[in-house]
């Protein structure tokens, strides 16, 4: 009798332990599974975006800063050399010296900016840091829907606008700079094809689209607003920091190569002496 009772107690304890462990085990397995496919979901979110307006807008703005820096270096070095007021932008040698410095900037931009790998890395980092695999998957799937694609394009448009606004607001954008006119025109052409001029209101019948932008940003099951806030503030902050770092790197590289423009100083001095 006692043996039978003991066996029943052992069986009951075994069942209890099994039930107690099962939820944790399932959760652990789900978390492990989520961790495994989270990078794929994040990758799908990032790759769904068209980065053209951010990249081309950023390229234009950085290019403006390095053109102005190259001109300032060439002017300052020429004046320090005693070339006087005649050393100015209307002189061929001056323009050749500026072009020599700009080639340094072009090379760095080619290596570290134009491919857009840096932007993909930033986008991936911030998405992975802020969203679970399940949330990232929900965002990626939403962007595949009819209205989700419209909302994604709206995000891309305003991120591109923000890139331009950052430099305009800080009074560094010069629409008159001739050296960047072609880039500006190319950007305008790209932007015209992406103007968000349709389906800009979400009616009650469009539940998924409405929910994606109208839910609480703190809701675990509604990541749309949180995603947009992440893009517009911390991620774009990282984008601007990268652009500023590239600009500083190019300026430092140009300043370190004053020797490259020496031949143009000599050529200008010879031309002035022969007059």
């Amino acid at each position: 009798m006692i043996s039978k009772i003991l066996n029943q107690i052992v069986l009951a304890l075994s069942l209890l332990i099994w039930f107690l462990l099962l939820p944790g085990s399932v959760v652990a397995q789900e978390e492990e599974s989520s961790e495994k496919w989270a990078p794929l979901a994040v990758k799908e979110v990032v790759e769904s975006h068209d980065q053209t307006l951010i990249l081309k807008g950023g390229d234009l703005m950085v290019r403006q800063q390095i053109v102005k820096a190259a001109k300032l270096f060439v002017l300052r070095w020429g004046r320090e050399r005693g070339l006087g007021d005649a050393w100015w932008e209307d002189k061929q040698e001056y323009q050749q010296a500026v072009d020599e410095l700009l080639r340094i900037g072009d090379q760095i931009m080619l290596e570290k900016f134009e491919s857009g790998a840096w932007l993909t890395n930033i986008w991936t980092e911030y998405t992975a840091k802020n969203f679970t695999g399940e949330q990232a998957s929900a965002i990626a799937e939403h962007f595949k829907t009819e209205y989700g694609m419209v909302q994604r394009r709206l995000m891309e448009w305003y991120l591109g606008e923000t890139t331009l606004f950052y430099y305009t607001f800080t009074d560094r954008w010069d629409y008159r700079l001739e050296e960047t006119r072609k880039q500006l025109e190319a950007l305008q052409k790209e932007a015209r094809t992406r103007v968000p001029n349709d389906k800009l209101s979400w009616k009650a019948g469009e539940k998924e689209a409405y929910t994606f932008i109208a839910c609480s940003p703190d809701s675990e099951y509604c990541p749309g607003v949180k995603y947009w806030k992440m893009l517009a503030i911390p991620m774009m902050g990282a984008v601007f920091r990268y652009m500023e770092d590239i600009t500083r790197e190019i300026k430092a590289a140009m300043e370190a190569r004053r020797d490259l423009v020496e031949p143009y100083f000599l050529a200008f001095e010879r031309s002035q002496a022969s007059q």
Side-chain angles (χ1 to χ4, degrees):
M1 184 67 177
I2 295 175
S3 177
K4 185 177 180 180
I5 293 174
L6 288 174
N7 287 337
Q8 289 176 341
I9 292 173
V10 170
L11 178 60
L13 288 174
S14 298
L15 289 172
L16 177 61
I17 292 171
W18 184 81
F19 278 114
L20 288 174
L21 291 179
L22 181 59
S25 176
V26 170
V27 169
Q29 290 175 5
E30 288 179 350
E31 289 179 350
E32 183 181 357
S33 176
S34 177
E35 286 297 316
K36 287 181 179 178
W37 56 260
L40 295 177
V42 168
K43 185 173 184 287
E44 188 174 9
V45 171
V46 175
E47 290 183 349
S48 71
H49 283 284
D50 180 355
Q51 301 177 352
T52 301
L53 293 182
I54 301 177
L55 284 175
K56 288 189 178 293
D59 189 285
L60 172 63
M61 293 304 169
V62 173
R63 175 75 177 175
Q64 280 225 340
Q65 307 320 303
I66 63 179
V67 167
K68 289 186 281 189
K71 289 184 174 184
L72 183 61
F73 286 140
V74 168
L75 178 63
R76 190 182 74 204
W77 295 339
R79 296 293 170 81
E80 289 173 355
R81 192 183 175 89
L83 301 183
D85 294 339
W87 179 248
W88 189 239
E89 294 184 17
D90 60 342
K91 298 299 187 297
Q92 178 182 352
E93 296 85 358
Y94 182 103
Q95 291 297 336
Q96 290 172 332
V98 169
D99 290 342
E100 191 70 50
L101 291 183
L102 288 180
R103 277 190 277 275
I104 296 174
D106 290 341
Q107 185 60 38
I108 294 175
M109 290 293 284
L110 180 63
E111 294 173 355
K112 297 187 176 182
F113 195 95
E114 293 177 8
S115 72
W118 63 273
L119 179 55
T120 297
N121 291 339
I122 290 173
W123 212 310
T124 300
E125 175 190 349
Y126 275 81
T127 304
K129 185 167 59 177
N130 287 277
F131 297 92
T132 65
E134 184 178 0
Q135 290 172 326
S137 181
I139 294 169
E141 289 302 312
H142 178 69
F143 285 158
K144 295 176 184 178
T145 66
E146 179 185 3
Y147 293 103
M149 286 189 284
V150 175
Q151 290 174 324
R152 174 180 56 75
R153 288 196 292 267
L154 276 170
M155 291 178 177
E156 294 155 4
W157 169 269
Y158 286 113
L159 292 177
E161 286 286 291
T162 302
T163 305
L164 302 183
F165 175 76
Y166 174 71
Y167 282 87
T168 304
F169 184 75
T170 53
D171 201 27
R172 288 179 289 173
W173 161 245
D174 185 356
Y175 68 91
R176 300 165 299 178
L177 197 64
E178 192 61 36
E179 289 85 350
T180 58
R181 183 169 299 279
K182 289 184 179 180
Q183 276 185 276
L184 174 59
E185 292 172 353
L187 177 60
Q188 290 171 333
K189 184 177 179 180
E190 292 282 358
R192 279 194 294 270
T193 66
R194 295 169 170 80
V195 176
N197 57 5
D198 63 341
K199 299 179 181 176
L200 299 186
S201 63
W202 320 112
K203 299 184 286 294
E206 297 149 7
K207 180 180 177 182
E208 290 77 12
Y210 183 80
T211 303
F212 191 76
I213 61 172
C215 61
S216 169
D218 299 321
S219 172
E220 180 182 354
Y221 303 102
C222 186
V225 177
K226 180 181 177 182
Y227 182 65
W228 173 234
K229 288 177 67 177
M230 183 274 291
L231 293 180
I233 303 174
M235 193 197 82
M236 286 305 293
V239 168
F240 295 144
R241 287 192 293 275
Y242 185 87
M243 291 165 60
E244 298 285 12
D245 288 344
I246 284 292
T247 303
R248 282 190 288 269
E249 180 180 345
I250 292 172
K251 287 180 179 180
M254 291 192 298
E255 191 169 20
R257 293 308 309 273
R258 180 170 176 168
D259 59 297
L260 292 176
V261 300
E262 183 67 20
Y264 305 107
F265 293 150
L266 295 173
F268 180 75
E269 288 170 340
R270 287 193 296 268
S271 67
Q272 292 296 102
S274 65
Q275 292 179 2

